[in-house]
Amino acid sequence: MIVPYALEISVVCVGIFLLMVDAFLKTDKTTIAWTGVVVLLAIFGLTFALGPMPKGVIPEGFYVLDPTSLFFKRFLLLATVLTLILSVDYSPVYQKFVPAASPQAGLGEFFTLPVFACAGMMFMVSANDFIMIFVALELVTIAFYVLVASMRKNQGSLEAGVKYLILGALSTGFLVYGITWLYGITGYTSLEGIQSVLPRVPEQYQPSVLFGLGLVLVALGFKVAAVPFQFWVPDVYQGAPTPVTAYLSVASKAAGFVVLLRVLEPFVTTPAFQVKVFGILTILAAVTLVLGNLAAMSQQNLKRLLAYSSIAHAGYLLVAVASLSAPGARVAIGFYLGGYLVMTFLAFLVLLNVAKASGGDDIRDFNGLGKRSPVLALGLLIAMLSLAGLPFTIGFLGKFFIFEAALASGQYVLVVLGAITVACGFYYYLKVVMAMYWQPAAPSATSIQVSPFGHFLIGLLVLAIILFGIFPQPLLGALTHL
Amino acid sequence: MNLLLASILIPVLAAILVIAGFNARRTAIFAAALNFLLTLVIVGQFKQDGGYQFLLSVPAVPALGIKFSLGVDGLGVAMLFLSTAVTLAAIAIARPPKANVSWFYASLLFISAGAVGAFVSVDAFFYYMFHELALVPTFLLIGIWGSGDRQTAAWKITVYLAFGSFVLLVGLIGLYLSLPAGSRTWDFRELAQAARIGTLAPAPWVYLTLFFGFGILVSLFPFHTWAPQAYASAPSPAAMLHAGVLKKFGLYGLLRLVTPIFPPAITEPFNNLLLVLLLGNILYVGLVTISQRKLDLMLGYSSVMHMGYIFLGILSWTTIGLAGAALMLVAHGLSIAALFALSGELRERTGTLKFSELGGLARTMPKFGLLFGFAAMASIGLPGFANFAGELMVFFGGFSAGKPVVGLNNFQIATAIAVWGVVISAVYMLRAYRRVFFGPPLERWKDLPEISTHAKICVVGLLILLLIFGFAPQLLVKFVLPAIVQP
């Protein structure tokens, strides 16, 4: 019989093993990343041997292995693999900004920390107890503090690190304070316990429960980059090493949403709290949608634009969270995040390659990319169209499922806002397309060489975007039990 | 292989071949001609009252009842014919640009594939998706190869249409959710059937959302401002394809998804509002058209104006009005394509389309002038052209619509006002014609080359079709009628 947390244990072991390799390896450090990729892919394969387990099997009750958590564990493993591949591509840039105590100093940690963050997030998606959520979250956040600030000679990276650290610590404070309120009233830290007590909470304590939940929502809002807790996002995304940005924007957001869904579960199924909680969520979704999209329109830097777009996508996901009363909402969230993984990593892959060659990630650095490197341009074109939500891409279907759920649960205001913000989205995503195909390249710009493996990866991601955009059934089939 | 699937795949494959490096112009023309021939085969095999034919269905998202289904009835065949005919003319008349030739032709082919795909889809979901597919090539065509303030025009049309299609999507989802859970479907036939037996009971907001969603895409007043500027800036084949074919998507949707589905109890309260808006199209935009000083902007506005008649036909809810609207869909598509083709040719020669800088061109290019005259007359709606038959049927439909009252009911008043639109069209078209082709010949245009043979063939082909359907509208009507009349 397999131990329930076998997956997390093996990922942690991989991390420790890679650190050992780093200590003794004298030659090329990228071997560490490739080893990580291979082993994590093997663990990804192992997840299919492991079925969901009924609740009784794990007596402690702080950990669940249901279809949701299993799906997102696979999701996180894939995201980590893609991050490691991107990190290898990024290592020459990374080297420039790290004090060279020895050749390739710092690379070992740069390749290993994402693995530990992955283990933390895999615990997060299974956590069914506030203590577990808190511990897993800290494991993730500490790994990210180091990763974000690791380019020590780069001012942007240091600034990002400080911002992320201070606001991260603040949000942790909110989380713990919220947990104590909820514990104080219900007497439980486990979500199941809270669920059993909630219907019996006397009316005079209900505001206190909502206050506690509100504090927890603040902390989770920080994780998923929801407005008004988004202030750290643009600077941190811009300053952090590009693979870390991609990782932060995909994996951290997904894990945050899973925790959000789990924490909300007791509250949205209890009639006394339902209406108020959905009200809070609706407001949160509305401001996130509007602010994320409007702020993205004026951006001139692609990394910053993707940061605001990540806020905007958090807005669409929150629309689905606010529509949880509709049967399709959970599937919609899972599908949207799946699509978001593919298109975001594709965008960052191209961004990374272009920035490496031209030394900047402003939109004008992409001028004439259609001529300079047709494959990269095509990849970014598909990524942008999918992020904007054009049909026959996975991004469109994600939006479609979310708005189907929103209409089914009667969230008409959010749908109207969504219609307007989708049009805004077309504006700022097509701005990048415009630069690539309309503007002439700068005279100094050269054509960009991409390795065959890079071509293969771009092709694979493009194929995933289009195939799942036409026939989403395989992905939906994996999500039906959510 | 399913013929309809083939007619979607031919332009897509041709576009891929063009990007891969085949001779762009030849491949594109070959694909367009092949697709037109395929359409003729489909028309030949089509049985006139056999309902939807050439069916193909593959489940795409079973959980939501979404299927990739193709099929055409009489209306679909008519639209398919319009799409492939205009595509052939547009691609044949297109002049290869100086740069990025392959992307230029690939974009045109993608617009064509989107239009064909939309018109042969039986599933509302894919019908919507195919239309959206054409949005990006339009954006690229206007932005890269357009003229004038092309970037503003490209942004405007893209953001406007993205918004409009999203409103439409919300309406479609609303329609889908109006069905009881378990029998939800996107299939046109099943939706109409559900409406007939009463299991589909949509709310009024669904009607309004659908009408305005489609309306934005078809430049219903006051959501029309994207159209003239975009058509003026677009390279002429793009304007031909968009104004001639793609814009008909919305009207086709109204005939398909709104008329057979919404009972009068829901639609009647909004009739007065919509009548005012469509009169805005005919009168307000008509007067704006008269005041234009450039040929391409004038044509853009005139195309917006003519949408008003089609809206009137659809809103009238009568057999003759609906048939007239369907006839006008085809007629307007063909005539506006011919006009944009000619104005594009003119711009190639003179570099300007300002009335103040043109004049007396009939003397240097008599054949060009003659063809433009024919196309202008067709657009005004002169007897003998299909536009006339369509407008006449629409007016009959409009006048016989509504509840009988003492005196005139609102529909009859609106129709009586709308008839004046014909006069307005005559004013702006004839004025434009006089200023461009008559008057003292200017010295600088003395050596303009006459219209080239291939352009002549394209325009004459479109005009011949207009004349055929003008003298024998029954050819089209008997196809369309079984599709739009409720059994």
Side-chain angles (χ1 to χ4, degrees), chain B residues 3-4 6-8 10-11 28-29 31-43 76-92 111-113 115-117 119-120 241 244-245 334 462 465:
Chain B
L3 290 182
L4 298 177
S7 64
I8 300 174
I10 287 172
I29 293 184
L34 189 65
N35 227 7
F36 184 63
L37 287 179
L38 195 63
T39 305
L40 293 182
V41 172
I42 291 173
V43 173
V77 165
M79 300 311 291
L80 178 64
F81 180 80
L82 171 71
S83 313
T84 51
V86 172
T87 303
L88 180 58
I91 287 181
I111 296 187
S112 172
V116 170
F119 292 134
V120 301
L241 276 175
V245 182
L334 294 171
L462 293 173
L465 288 177

Side-chain angles (χ1 to χ4, degrees), chain B residues 132-288:
Chain B
E132 285 268 290
L133 182 66
L135 215 59
V136 168
T138 314
F139 173 75
L140 291 177
L141 276 170
I142 298 178
I144 302 179
W145 299 282
S147 57
D149 191 2
R150 55 177 205 255
Q151 305 211 341
T152 316
W155 282 124
K156 204 167 172 183
I157 183 174
T158 310
V159 173
Y160 230 115
L161 293 189
F163 174 69
S165 2
F166 207 80
V167 173
L168 170 62
L169 182 64
V170 171
L172 289 178
I173 298 176
L175 193 62
Y176 167 78
L177 291 174
S178 312
L179 283 162
S183 67
R184 288 184 179 155
T185 176
W186 298 84
D187 194 298
F188 288 151
R189 294 162 293 176
E190 291 167 22
L191 282 170
Q193 176 65 21
R196 216 171 295 137
I197 58 175
T199 51
L200 174 62
W205 71 264
V206 178
Y207 175 66
L208 273 190
T209 318
L210 279 177
F211 207 103
F212 281 106
F214 282 128
I216 294 172
L217 301 184
V218 193
S219 61
L220 174 67
F221 175 84
F223 309 109
H224 65 277
T225 53
W226 58 268
Q229 202 188 354
Y231 293 153
S233 295
S236 63
M240 289 167 75
L241 276 175
H242 202 282
V245 182
L246 208 60
K247 208 163 78 163
K248 306 296 177 288
F249 165 87
L251 299 161
Y252 173 81
L254 288 175
L255 282 172
R256 196 51 106 205
L257 280 173
V258 178
T259 343
I261 284 171
F262 288 88
I266 289 180
T267 59
E268 259 163 20
F270 303 110
N271 275 349
N272 286 343
L273 168 72
L274 295 174
L275 280 177
V276 170
L277 294 187
L278 73 87
L279 284 180
N281 265 66
I282 295 176
L283 289 185
Y284 174 78
V285 178
L287 293 175
V288 171

Side-chain angles (χ1 to χ4, degrees), chain A residues 348-470:
Chain A
F348 276 108
L349 180 63
V350 176
L351 168 74
L352 192 155
N353 275 300
V354 174
K356 204 163 68 171
S358 56
D361 37 32
D362 283 344
I363 292 180
R364 64 166 183 276
D365 291 317
F366 290 77
N367 283 356
L369 191 67
K371 280 257 172 56
R372 286 154 63 199
S373 175
V375 178
L376 286 179
L378 190 71
L380 196 55
L381 174 71
I382 302 283
M384 288 296 136
L385 296 182
S386 180
L387 284 166
L390 198 87
F392 295 102
T393 62
I394 198 166
F396 170 75
L397 281 183
K399 287 206 172 67
F400 171 77
F401 292 138
I402 283 185
F403 284 99
E404 200 261 343
L407 280 174
S409 71
Q411 290 281 13
Y412 299 115
V413 179
L414 290 181
V415 172
V416 171
L417 285 178
I420 296 168
T421 53
V422 165
C424 299
F426 267 87
Y427 174 80
Y428 58 80
Y429 290 121
L430 285 181
K431 216 159 77 169
V432 182
V433 177
M434 178 187 84
M436 289 194 299
Y437 288 102
W438 292 5
Q439 310 290 355
S444 60
T446 49
S447 64
I448 299 165
Q449 297 303 320
V450 187
S451 63
F453 182 71
H455 278 216
F456 166 73
L457 203 58
I458 290 176
L460 199 67
L461 293 173
V462 166
L463 207 65
I465 288 178
I466 293 175
L467 273 187
F468 286 128
I470 299 173

